Amino acid sequence: DAGVIQSPRHEVTEMGQEVTLRCKPISGHDYLFWYRQTMMRGLELLIYFNNNVPIDDSGMPEDRFSAKMPNASFSTLKIQPSEPRDSAVYFCASSLAGQGIAYEQYFGPGTRLTVT
Amino acid sequence: GEDVEQSLFLSVREGDSSVINCTYTDSSSTYLYWYKQEPGAGLQLLTYIFSNMDMKQDQRLTVLLNKKDKHLSLRIADTQTGDSAIYFCAEPMDSNYQLIWGAGTKLIIKP
């Protein structure tokens, strides 16, 4: 398996622009997580899905952030409008309940977002 | 509420042992985890321990669990430059399928 795939790997955009981050989870996994990592705040869970349904979005910073999972093999995280404080590395992770090591999450390589 | 705490930095000399510590709050956790994040990469499960164990050894890695004190440690023997990474302690939030993450300990290797 190719693992969790994220695109783009790097994104530089200007304040006010819309940013869309993409994630393809490992085939067959039923949980998908979006995280944000910064030096100041560490690793933060933004939202997670189970079987394509959002379960907990309490970590989404504000209404400028939205996430969708239209099918089991694709998810997006959108920021509109973007602000400099959104600059961070955004990770997508997936897992499969009931198999292997419980709760093990498989992380993508991340998208480094810079908003100028 | 649930919380996982760990120090932010650890500096050791190459060849020495590294010990990374973590405290957690949920005494009902069935598993506890150590994830490793190498520079420019995502996190990857390094090792884990069941809550009914006190110790788990895997080659150069030793995990110690003190349930009474809710203390977890990761010992890396003969630390190498390739061990330079951020190490995250994590416990499951049993009410759902999330993990609660520590802040991560950056391991710095001195030559």
Side-chain angles (χ1 to χ4, degrees), chain A residues 9 31 33 35 37 43 45 48 56 91 95-98 101-105 107-109, chain B residues 30-31 33 35 37 40-43 45 48 86 88 92-94 96-99 101 103:
Chain A
R9 291 294 311 276
Y31 281 83
F33 305 83
Y35 291 93
Q37 185 179 36
L43 191 68
L45 176 66
Y48 79 98
D56 184 353
F91 288 104
S95 66
L96 176 61
I101 300 169
Y103 300 97
E104 180 177 5
Q105 295 182 16
F107 281 72
Chain B
T30 52
Y31 303 84
Y33 306 87
Y35 278 73
Q37 183 182 26
L43 283 70
L45 181 65
Y48 66 97
I86 302 175
F88 290 86
M93 185 185 291
D94 279 330
N96 52 47
Y97 216 70
Q98 294 182 46
L99 286 172
W101 300 90

mmCIF file of all heavy atoms in Angstrom, chain A residues 9 31 33 35 37 43 45 48 56 91 95-98 101-105 107-109, chain B residues 30-31 33 35 37 40-43 45 48 86 88 92-94 96-99 101 103:
data_model
loop_
_atom_site.group_PDB
_atom_site.id
_atom_site.type_symbol
_atom_site.label_atom_id
_atom_site.label_comp_id
_atom_site.label_asym_id
_atom_site.label_seq_id
_atom_site.Cartn_x
_atom_site.Cartn_y
_atom_site.Cartn_z
ATOM 1 N N ARG A 9 2.423 19.018 -1.103
ATOM 2 C CA ARG A 9 3.365 18.877 0.012
ATOM 3 C C ARG A 9 3.725 20.242 0.585
ATOM 4 O O ARG A 9 3.975 20.353 1.793
ATOM 5 C CB ARG A 9 4.639 18.162 -0.441
ATOM 6 C CG ARG A 9 4.441 16.698 -0.790
ATOM 7 C CD ARG A 9 4.054 15.869 0.438
ATOM 8 N NE ARG A 9 4.925 16.106 1.576
ATOM 9 C CZ ARG A 9 6.086 15.505 1.765
ATOM 10 N NH1 ARG A 9 6.531 14.629 0.899
ATOM 11 N NH2 ARG A 9 6.813 15.781 2.841
ATOM 12 N N TYR A 31 -11.321 5.316 9.635
ATOM 13 C CA TYR A 31 -11.193 6.572 10.370
ATOM 14 C C TYR A 31 -10.202 7.464 9.639
ATOM 15 O O TYR A 31 -9.154 7.001 9.159
ATOM 16 C CB TYR A 31 -10.677 6.341 11.800
ATOM 17 C CG TYR A 31 -11.738 5.858 12.766
ATOM 18 C CD1 TYR A 31 -12.078 4.512 12.830
ATOM 19 C CD2 TYR A 31 -12.410 6.754 13.589
ATOM 20 C CE1 TYR A 31 -13.051 4.069 13.709
ATOM 21 C CE2 TYR A 31 -13.378 6.329 14.473
ATOM 22 C CZ TYR A 31 -13.704 4.976 14.534
ATOM 23 O OH TYR A 31 -14.670 4.542 15.402
ATOM 24 N N PHE A 33 -8.319 11.398 10.169
ATOM 25 C CA PHE A 33 -8.053 12.494 11.102
ATOM 26 C C PHE A 33 -7.301 13.608 10.368
ATOM 27 O O PHE A 33 -6.407 13.331 9.577
ATOM 28 C CB PHE A 33 -7.174 12.017 12.259
ATOM 29 C CG PHE A 33 -7.710 10.833 13.019
ATOM 30 C CD1 PHE A 33 -7.511 9.544 12.551
ATOM 31 C CD2 PHE A 33 -8.414 11.011 14.197
ATOM 32 C CE1 PHE A 33 -7.994 8.441 13.241
ATOM 33 C CE2 PHE A 33 -8.901 9.916 14.913
ATOM 34 C CZ PHE A 33 -8.699 8.628 14.428
ATOM 35 N N TYR A 35 -4.931 16.855 11.398
ATOM 36 C CA TYR A 35 -4.182 17.494 12.482
ATOM 37 C C TYR A 35 -3.461 18.725 11.939
ATOM 38 O O TYR A 35 -3.159 18.817 10.754
ATOM 39 C CB TYR A 35 -3.102 16.556 13.041
ATOM 40 C CG TYR A 35 -3.582 15.358 13.800
ATOM 41 C CD1 TYR A 35 -3.774 14.131 13.162
ATOM 42 C CD2 TYR A 35 -3.807 15.425 15.167
ATOM 43 C CE1 TYR A 35 -4.178 13.007 13.874
ATOM 44 C CE2 TYR A 35 -4.212 14.314 15.894
ATOM 45 C CZ TYR A 35 -4.398 13.106 15.234
ATOM 46 O OH TYR A 35 -4.790 12.007 15.944
ATOM 47 N N GLN A 37 0.049 21.023 13.057
ATOM 48 C CA GLN A 37 1.219 21.047 13.929
ATOM 49 C C GLN A 37 1.950 22.380 13.788
ATOM 50 O O GLN A 37 2.317 22.793 12.689
ATOM 51 C CB GLN A 37 2.185 19.896 13.606
ATOM 52 C CG GLN A 37 3.359 19.796 14.572
ATOM 53 C CD GLN A 37 4.287 18.640 14.256
ATOM 54 O OE1 GLN A 37 4.520 18.301 13.098
ATOM 55 N NE2 GLN A 37 4.821 17.995 15.294
ATOM 56 N N LEU A 43 0.795 19.451 18.325
ATOM 57 C CA LEU A 43 -0.090 18.689 17.436
ATOM 58 C C LEU A 43 -1.529 18.850 17.916
ATOM 59 O O LEU A 43 -1.854 18.496 19.042
ATOM 60 C CB LEU A 43 0.327 17.215 17.453
ATOM 61 C CG LEU A 43 -0.287 16.296 16.424
ATOM 62 C CD1 LEU A 43 0.216 16.660 15.031
ATOM 63 C CD2 LEU A 43 0.051 14.845 16.749
ATOM 64 N N LEU A 45 -5.650 18.128 17.044
ATOM 65 C CA LEU A 45 -6.653 17.446 16.234
ATOM 66 C C LEU A 45 -7.688 18.473 15.795
ATOM 67 O O LEU A 45 -8.281 19.159 16.622
ATOM 68 C CB LEU A 45 -7.327 16.337 17.027
ATOM 69 C CG LEU A 45 -8.458 15.612 16.321
ATOM 70 C CD1 LEU A 45 -7.950 14.832 15.109
ATOM 71 C CD2 LEU A 45 -9.197 14.688 17.283
ATOM 72 N N TYR A 48 -12.223 14.669 12.904
ATOM 73 C CA TYR A 48 -12.045 13.318 12.408
ATOM 74 C C TYR A 48 -13.356 12.735 11.906
ATOM 75 O O TYR A 48 -14.448 13.163 12.330
ATOM 76 C CB TYR A 48 -11.352 12.409 13.432
ATOM 77 C CG TYR A 48 -12.187 11.864 14.555
ATOM 78 C CD1 TYR A 48 -12.716 10.576 14.474
ATOM 79 C CD2 TYR A 48 -12.389 12.594 15.708
ATOM 80 C CE1 TYR A 48 -13.451 10.046 15.520
ATOM 81 C CE2 TYR A 48 -13.124 12.084 16.749
ATOM 82 C CZ TYR A 48 -13.645 10.809 16.666
ATOM 83 O OH TYR A 48 -14.380 10.292 17.700
ATOM 84 N N ASP A 56 -16.246 14.515 15.183
ATOM 85 C CA ASP A 56 -15.886 15.547 16.148
ATOM 86 C C ASP A 56 -15.111 16.633 15.422
ATOM 87 O O ASP A 56 -13.999 16.380 14.951
ATOM 88 C CB ASP A 56 -15.048 14.943 17.271
ATOM 89 C CG ASP A 56 -14.727 15.954 18.373
ATOM 90 O OD1 ASP A 56 -15.033 17.148 18.208
ATOM 91 O OD2 ASP A 56 -14.161 15.535 19.405
ATOM 92 N N PHE A 91 -1.449 17.583 8.860
ATOM 93 C CA PHE A 91 -1.320 16.145 8.650
ATOM 94 C C PHE A 91 -2.693 15.498 8.527
ATOM 95 O O PHE A 91 -3.638 15.868 9.230
ATOM 96 C CB PHE A 91 -0.598 15.475 9.819
ATOM 97 C CG PHE A 91 0.874 15.775 9.882
ATOM 98 C CD1 PHE A 91 1.369 16.674 10.815
ATOM 99 C CD2 PHE A 91 1.758 15.154 9.012
ATOM 100 C CE1 PHE A 91 2.725 16.951 10.882
ATOM 101 C CE2 PHE A 91 3.113 15.418 9.070
ATOM 102 C CZ PHE A 91 3.601 16.324 10.009
ATOM 103 N N SER A 95 -6.893 5.259 10.147
ATOM 104 C CA SER A 95 -6.767 4.054 10.960
ATOM 105 C C SER A 95 -7.944 3.136 10.679
ATOM 106 O O SER A 95 -8.947 3.539 10.078
ATOM 107 C CB SER A 95 -6.683 4.395 12.455
ATOM 108 O OG SER A 95 -7.888 4.957 12.906
ATOM 109 N N LEU A 96 -7.797 1.898 11.131
ATOM 110 C CA LEU A 96 -8.828 0.887 10.931
ATOM 111 C C LEU A 96 -9.169 0.287 12.277
ATOM 112 O O LEU A 96 -8.310 -0.294 12.946
ATOM 113 C CB LEU A 96 -8.336 -0.201 9.978
ATOM 114 C CG LEU A 96 -9.281 -1.381 9.742
ATOM 115 C CD1 LEU A 96 -10.591 -0.905 9.135
ATOM 116 C CD2 LEU A 96 -8.610 -2.403 8.831
ATOM 117 N N ALA A 97 -10.427 0.440 12.681
ATOM 118 C CA ALA A 97 -10.856 -0.092 13.968
ATOM 119 C C ALA A 97 -10.887 -1.605 13.917
ATOM 120 O O ALA A 97 -11.299 -2.207 12.928
ATOM 121 C CB ALA A 97 -12.241 0.451 14.316
ATOM 122 N N GLY A 98 -10.446 -2.228 14.985
ATOM 123 C CA GLY A 98 -10.621 -3.657 15.130
ATOM 124 C C GLY A 98 -9.577 -4.528 14.481
ATOM 125 O O GLY A 98 -9.677 -5.752 14.513
ATOM 126 N N ILE A 101 -2.860 -3.168 15.603
ATOM 127 C CA ILE A 101 -2.652 -2.535 16.903
ATOM 128 C C ILE A 101 -3.763 -1.505 17.085
ATOM 129 O O ILE A 101 -3.926 -0.601 16.271
ATOM 130 C CB ILE A 101 -1.270 -1.865 16.965
ATOM 131 C CG1 ILE A 101 -0.180 -2.908 16.754
ATOM 132 C CG2 ILE A 101 -1.096 -1.122 18.289
ATOM 133 C CD1 ILE A 101 1.190 -2.316 16.530
ATOM 134 N N ALA A 102 -4.515 -1.673 18.165
ATOM 135 C CA ALA A 102 -5.656 -0.792 18.397
ATOM 136 C C ALA A 102 -5.226 0.667 18.391
ATOM 137 O O ALA A 102 -4.196 1.029 18.942
ATOM 138 C CB ALA A 102 -6.308 -1.137 19.728
ATOM 139 N N TYR A 103 -6.003 1.479 17.769
ATOM 140 C CA TYR A 103 -5.824 2.928 17.727
ATOM 141 C C TYR A 103 -4.603 3.372 16.920
ATOM 142 O O TYR A 103 -4.293 4.554 16.889
ATOM 143 C CB TYR A 103 -5.708 3.539 19.133
ATOM 144 C CG TYR A 103 -6.899 3.309 20.019
ATOM 145 C CD1 TYR A 103 -6.920 2.269 20.938
ATOM 146 C CD2 TYR A 103 -8.011 4.149 19.960
ATOM 147 C CE1 TYR A 103 -8.011 2.065 21.761
ATOM 148 C CE2 TYR A 103 -9.096 3.956 20.784
ATOM 149 C CZ TYR A 103 -9.087 2.917 21.680
ATOM 150 O OH TYR A 103 -10.168 2.714 22.508
ATOM 151 N N GLU A 104 -3.888 2.456 16.265
ATOM 152 C CA GLU A 104 -2.719 2.899 15.513
ATOM 153 C C GLU A 104 -3.165 3.790 14.366
ATOM 154 O O GLU A 104 -4.042 3.427 13.584
ATOM 155 C CB GLU A 104 -1.913 1.736 14.949
ATOM 156 C CG GLU A 104 -0.677 2.210 14.159
ATOM 157 C CD GLU A 104 0.182 1.089 13.651
ATOM 158 O OE1 GLU A 104 -0.188 -0.081 13.811
ATOM 159 O OE2 GLU A 104 1.257 1.402 13.083
ATOM 160 N N GLN A 105 -2.556 4.946 14.281
ATOM 161 C CA GLN A 105 -2.860 5.886 13.214
ATOM 162 C C GLN A 105 -1.668 5.950 12.265
ATOM 163 O O GLN A 105 -0.517 5.990 12.694
ATOM 164 C CB GLN A 105 -3.172 7.273 13.785
ATOM 165 C CG GLN A 105 -4.441 7.299 14.626
ATOM 166 C CD GLN A 105 -4.788 8.681 15.148
ATOM 167 O OE1 GLN A 105 -4.279 9.683 14.688
ATOM 168 N NE2 GLN A 105 -5.690 8.727 16.116
ATOM 169 N N PHE A 107 0.103 8.160 9.457
ATOM 170 C CA PHE A 107 0.163 9.566 9.064
ATOM 171 C C PHE A 107 0.687 9.724 7.644
ATOM 172 O O PHE A 107 1.579 8.982 7.198
ATOM 173 C CB PHE A 107 1.086 10.349 10.000
ATOM 174 C CG PHE A 107 0.458 10.703 11.309
ATOM 175 C CD1 PHE A 107 0.221 9.740 12.277
ATOM 176 C CD2 PHE A 107 0.093 12.015 11.585
ATOM 177 C CE1 PHE A 107 -0.374 10.066 13.500
ATOM 178 C CE2 PHE A 107 -0.492 12.359 12.792
ATOM 179 C CZ PHE A 107 -0.729 11.383 13.750
ATOM 180 N N GLY A 108 0.154 10.733 6.965
ATOM 181 C CA GLY A 108 0.722 11.163 5.706
ATOM 182 C C GLY A 108 1.951 12.018 5.956
ATOM 183 O O GLY A 108 2.279 12.327 7.102
ATOM 184 N N PRO A 109 2.609 12.449 4.882
ATOM 185 C CA PRO A 109 3.839 13.238 5.019
ATOM 186 C C PRO A 109 3.593 14.683 5.410
ATOM 187 O O PRO A 109 4.526 15.389 5.771
ATOM 188 C CB PRO A 109 4.470 13.154 3.632
ATOM 189 C CG PRO A 109 3.314 12.952 2.716
ATOM 190 C CD PRO A 109 2.316 12.124 3.468
ATOM 191 N N THR B 30 -6.095 1.277 28.030
ATOM 192 C CA THR B 30 -5.683 -0.110 27.813
ATOM 193 C C THR B 30 -4.331 -0.200 27.124
ATOM 194 O O THR B 30 -3.626 -1.191 27.251
ATOM 195 C CB THR B 30 -6.723 -0.828 26.965
ATOM 196 O OG1 THR B 30 -6.979 -0.056 25.790
ATOM 197 C CG2 THR B 30 -8.026 -1.018 27.737
ATOM 198 N N TYR B 31 -3.994 0.822 26.369
ATOM 199 C CA TYR B 31 -2.714 0.875 25.674
ATOM 200 C C TYR B 31 -2.094 2.249 25.891
ATOM 201 O O TYR B 31 -2.800 3.234 26.100
ATOM 202 C CB TYR B 31 -2.901 0.714 24.158
ATOM 203 C CG TYR B 31 -3.592 -0.529 23.700
ATOM 204 C CD1 TYR B 31 -4.983 -0.605 23.680
ATOM 205 C CD2 TYR B 31 -2.867 -1.616 23.240
ATOM 206 C CE1 TYR B 31 -5.621 -1.741 23.242
ATOM 207 C CE2 TYR B 31 -3.505 -2.760 22.790
ATOM 208 C CZ TYR B 31 -4.882 -2.818 22.791
ATOM 209 O OH TYR B 31 -5.515 -3.937 22.355
ATOM 210 N N TYR B 33 1.178 4.568 23.938
ATOM 211 C CA TYR B 33 1.929 4.517 22.690
ATOM 212 C C TYR B 33 3.091 5.508 22.687
ATOM 213 O O TYR B 33 3.026 6.572 23.308
ATOM 214 C CB TYR B 33 1.010 4.891 21.512
ATOM 215 C CG TYR B 33 -0.244 4.071 21.429
ATOM 216 C CD1 TYR B 33 -1.381 4.448 22.123
ATOM 217 C CD2 TYR B 33 -0.301 2.921 20.651
ATOM 218 C CE1 TYR B 33 -2.543 3.697 22.051
ATOM 219 C CE2 TYR B 33 -1.453 2.167 20.571
ATOM 220 C CZ TYR B 33 -2.575 2.556 21.269
ATOM 221 O OH TYR B 33 -3.715 1.813 21.204
ATOM 222 N N TYR B 35 5.092 7.374 19.538
ATOM 223 C CA TYR B 35 5.228 7.642 18.117
ATOM 224 C C TYR B 35 6.519 8.439 17.902
ATOM 225 O O TYR B 35 6.935 9.211 18.757
ATOM 226 C CB TYR B 35 4.046 8.472 17.595
ATOM 227 C CG TYR B 35 2.818 7.681 17.268
ATOM 228 C CD1 TYR B 35 2.015 7.149 18.278
ATOM 229 C CD2 TYR B 35 2.422 7.478 15.946
ATOM 230 C CE1 TYR B 35 0.866 6.425 17.974
ATOM 231 C CE2 TYR B 35 1.273 6.764 15.630
ATOM 232 C CZ TYR B 35 0.508 6.244 16.642
ATOM 233 O OH TYR B 35 -0.628 5.531 16.332
ATOM 234 N N GLN B 37 8.550 11.050 15.152
ATOM 235 C CA GLN B 37 8.435 11.923 13.991
ATOM 236 C C GLN B 37 9.832 12.354 13.582
ATOM 237 O O GLN B 37 10.486 13.137 14.274
ATOM 238 C CB GLN B 37 7.577 13.159 14.290
ATOM 239 C CG GLN B 37 7.392 14.049 13.070
ATOM 240 C CD GLN B 37 6.594 15.307 13.368
ATOM 241 O OE1 GLN B 37 6.554 15.786 14.500
ATOM 242 N NE2 GLN B 37 5.936 15.845 12.356
ATOM 243 N N GLY B 40 10.729 16.460 8.831
ATOM 244 C CA GLY B 40 10.038 16.573 7.557
ATOM 245 C C GLY B 40 9.067 15.451 7.251
ATOM 246 O O GLY B 40 8.597 15.327 6.107
ATOM 247 N N ALA B 41 8.732 14.653 8.233
ATOM 248 C CA ALA B 41 7.857 13.504 7.997
ATOM 249 C C ALA B 41 6.688 13.506 8.971
ATOM 250 O O ALA B 41 6.647 14.276 9.927
ATOM 251 C CB ALA B 41 8.642 12.204 8.132
ATOM 252 N N GLY B 42 5.744 12.624 8.708
ATOM 253 C CA GLY B 42 4.634 12.441 9.623
ATOM 254 C C GLY B 42 5.026 11.540 10.783
ATOM 255 O O GLY B 42 6.122 10.998 10.833
ATOM 256 N N LEU B 43 4.108 11.386 11.731
ATOM 257 C CA LEU B 43 4.376 10.536 12.885
ATOM 258 C C LEU B 43 4.215 9.068 12.484
ATOM 259 O O LEU B 43 3.422 8.719 11.610
ATOM 260 C CB LEU B 43 3.387 10.850 14.014
ATOM 261 C CG LEU B 43 3.621 12.114 14.829
ATOM 262 C CD1 LEU B 43 3.350 13.372 14.031
ATOM 263 C CD2 LEU B 43 2.784 12.069 16.103
ATOM 264 N N LEU B 45 4.103 5.043 14.374
ATOM 265 C CA LEU B 45 4.101 4.281 15.616
ATOM 266 C C LEU B 45 5.453 3.614 15.813
ATOM 267 O O LEU B 45 5.944 2.889 14.943
ATOM 268 C CB LEU B 45 2.996 3.226 15.591
ATOM 269 C CG LEU B 45 2.873 2.376 16.856
ATOM 270 C CD1 LEU B 45 2.469 3.238 18.050
ATOM 271 C CD2 LEU B 45 1.871 1.250 16.644
ATOM 272 N N TYR B 48 4.436 0.284 21.604
ATOM 273 C CA TYR B 48 3.284 0.475 22.470
ATOM 274 C C TYR B 48 3.393 -0.526 23.611
ATOM 275 O O TYR B 48 4.193 -1.474 23.564
ATOM 276 C CB TYR B 48 1.980 0.272 21.703
ATOM 277 C CG TYR B 48 1.786 -1.150 21.232
ATOM 278 C CD1 TYR B 48 1.010 -2.052 21.948
ATOM 279 C CD2 TYR B 48 2.423 -1.604 20.073
ATOM 280 C CE1 TYR B 48 0.862 -3.357 21.526
ATOM 281 C CE2 TYR B 48 2.285 -2.900 19.648
ATOM 282 C CZ TYR B 48 1.501 -3.778 20.369
ATOM 283 O OH TYR B 48 1.364 -5.078 19.949
ATOM 284 N N ILE B 86 11.390 13.726 17.009
ATOM 285 C CA ILE B 86 10.483 14.115 18.089
ATOM 286 C C ILE B 86 9.692 12.868 18.477
ATOM 287 O O ILE B 86 9.167 12.167 17.604
ATOM 288 C CB ILE B 86 9.522 15.239 17.650
ATOM 289 C CG1 ILE B 86 10.309 16.457 17.175
ATOM 290 C CG2 ILE B 86 8.602 15.624 18.815
ATOM 291 C CD1 ILE B 86 9.439 17.566 16.609
ATOM 292 N N PHE B 88 6.559 11.284 20.581
ATOM 293 C CA PHE B 88 5.258 11.624 21.151
ATOM 294 C C PHE B 88 4.719 10.454 21.966
ATOM 295 O O PHE B 88 4.698 9.317 21.500
ATOM 296 C CB PHE B 88 4.242 11.941 20.052
ATOM 297 C CG PHE B 88 4.493 13.218 19.314
ATOM 298 C CD1 PHE B 88 5.349 13.254 18.225
ATOM 299 C CD2 PHE B 88 3.868 14.395 19.698
ATOM 300 C CE1 PHE B 88 5.576 14.433 17.532
ATOM 301 C CE2 PHE B 88 4.086 15.577 19.013
ATOM 302 C CZ PHE B 88 4.947 15.595 17.932
ATOM 303 N N PRO B 92 -5.206 6.486 24.360
ATOM 304 C CA PRO B 92 -6.503 6.563 23.689
ATOM 305 C C PRO B 92 -7.537 7.258 24.553
ATOM 306 O O PRO B 92 -7.510 7.170 25.776
ATOM 307 C CB PRO B 92 -6.886 5.092 23.460
ATOM 308 C CG PRO B 92 -6.052 4.300 24.398
ATOM 309 C CD PRO B 92 -4.866 5.116 24.768
ATOM 310 N N MET B 93 -8.426 7.962 23.890
ATOM 311 C CA MET B 93 -9.587 8.544 24.542
ATOM 312 C C MET B 93 -10.694 7.522 24.338
ATOM 313 O O MET B 93 -11.246 7.413 23.248
ATOM 314 C CB MET B 93 -9.941 9.885 23.894
ATOM 315 C CG MET B 93 -11.066 10.621 24.580
ATOM 316 S SD MET B 93 -11.547 12.124 23.699
ATOM 317 C CE MET B 93 -10.124 13.162 23.946
ATOM 318 N N ASP B 94 -10.987 6.734 25.359
ATOM 319 C CA ASP B 94 -11.826 5.564 25.160
ATOM 320 C C ASP B 94 -13.261 5.877 24.773
ATOM 321 O O ASP B 94 -13.976 5.013 24.311
ATOM 322 C CB ASP B 94 -11.816 4.688 26.416
ATOM 323 C CG ASP B 94 -10.578 3.811 26.454
ATOM 324 O OD1 ASP B 94 -10.084 3.455 25.378
ATOM 325 O OD2 ASP B 94 -10.110 3.491 27.551
ATOM 326 N N ASN B 96 -14.155 7.582 22.409
ATOM 327 C CA ASN B 96 -14.214 7.592 20.951
ATOM 328 C C ASN B 96 -12.903 7.020 20.435
ATOM 329 O O ASN B 96 -12.206 6.331 21.155
ATOM 330 C CB ASN B 96 -14.477 9.009 20.427
ATOM 331 C CG ASN B 96 -13.509 10.011 21.004
ATOM 332 O OD1 ASN B 96 -12.312 9.773 21.033
ATOM 333 N ND2 ASN B 96 -14.019 11.124 21.492
ATOM 334 N N TYR B 97 -12.606 7.290 19.205
ATOM 335 C CA TYR B 97 -11.437 6.637 18.625
ATOM 336 C C TYR B 97 -10.242 7.575 18.508
ATOM 337 O O TYR B 97 -9.348 7.351 17.732
ATOM 338 C CB TYR B 97 -11.802 6.055 17.259
ATOM 339 C CG TYR B 97 -11.098 4.755 16.995
ATOM 340 C CD1 TYR B 97 -11.434 3.616 17.706
ATOM 341 C CD2 TYR B 97 -10.090 4.669 16.064
ATOM 342 C CE1 TYR B 97 -10.784 2.420 17.491
ATOM 343 C CE2 TYR B 97 -9.434 3.479 15.823
ATOM 344 C CZ TYR B 97 -9.783 2.364 16.538
ATOM 345 O OH TYR B 97 -9.138 1.183 16.321
ATOM 346 N N GLN B 98 -10.211 8.609 19.308
ATOM 347 C CA GLN B 98 -9.105 9.554 19.238
ATOM 348 C C GLN B 98 -7.933 9.088 20.092
ATOM 349 O O GLN B 98 -8.059 8.240 20.974
ATOM 350 C CB GLN B 98 -9.546 10.907 19.790
ATOM 351 C CG GLN B 98 -10.604 11.609 18.997
ATOM 352 C CD GLN B 98 -10.909 12.957 19.619
ATOM 353 O OE1 GLN B 98 -10.012 13.715 19.965
ATOM 354 N NE2 GLN B 98 -12.181 13.268 19.750
ATOM 355 N N LEU B 99 -6.781 9.705 19.822
ATOM 356 C CA LEU B 99 -5.617 9.601 20.691
ATOM 357 C C LEU B 99 -5.380 10.959 21.320
ATOM 358 O O LEU B 99 -5.577 11.989 20.693
ATOM 359 C CB LEU B 99 -4.373 9.180 19.898
ATOM 360 C CG LEU B 99 -4.298 7.722 19.452
ATOM 361 C CD1 LEU B 99 -3.119 7.504 18.518
ATOM 362 C CD2 LEU B 99 -4.214 6.792 20.655
ATOM 363 N N TRP B 101 -2.532 13.323 22.676
ATOM 364 C CA TRP B 101 -1.101 13.414 22.389
ATOM 365 C C TRP B 101 -0.376 14.295 23.400
ATOM 366 O O TRP B 101 -0.889 15.330 23.821
ATOM 367 C CB TRP B 101 -0.885 14.008 20.993
ATOM 368 C CG TRP B 101 -1.486 13.212 19.899
ATOM 369 C CD1 TRP B 101 -2.740 13.330 19.384
ATOM 370 C CD2 TRP B 101 -0.857 12.150 19.173
ATOM 371 N NE1 TRP B 101 -2.927 12.408 18.377
ATOM 372 C CE2 TRP B 101 -1.794 11.670 18.229
ATOM 373 C CE3 TRP B 101 0.410 11.560 19.224
ATOM 374 C CZ2 TRP B 101 -1.498 10.623 17.354
ATOM 375 C CZ3 TRP B 101 0.699 10.527 18.353
ATOM 376 C CH2 TRP B 101 -0.248 10.069 17.429
ATOM 377 N N ALA B 103 3.039 16.773 24.031
ATOM 378 C CA ALA B 103 3.583 17.860 23.213
ATOM 379 C C ALA B 103 4.744 17.405 22.349
ATOM 380 O O ALA B 103 5.139 18.100 21.412
ATOM 381 C CB ALA B 103 4.012 19.012 24.109
#
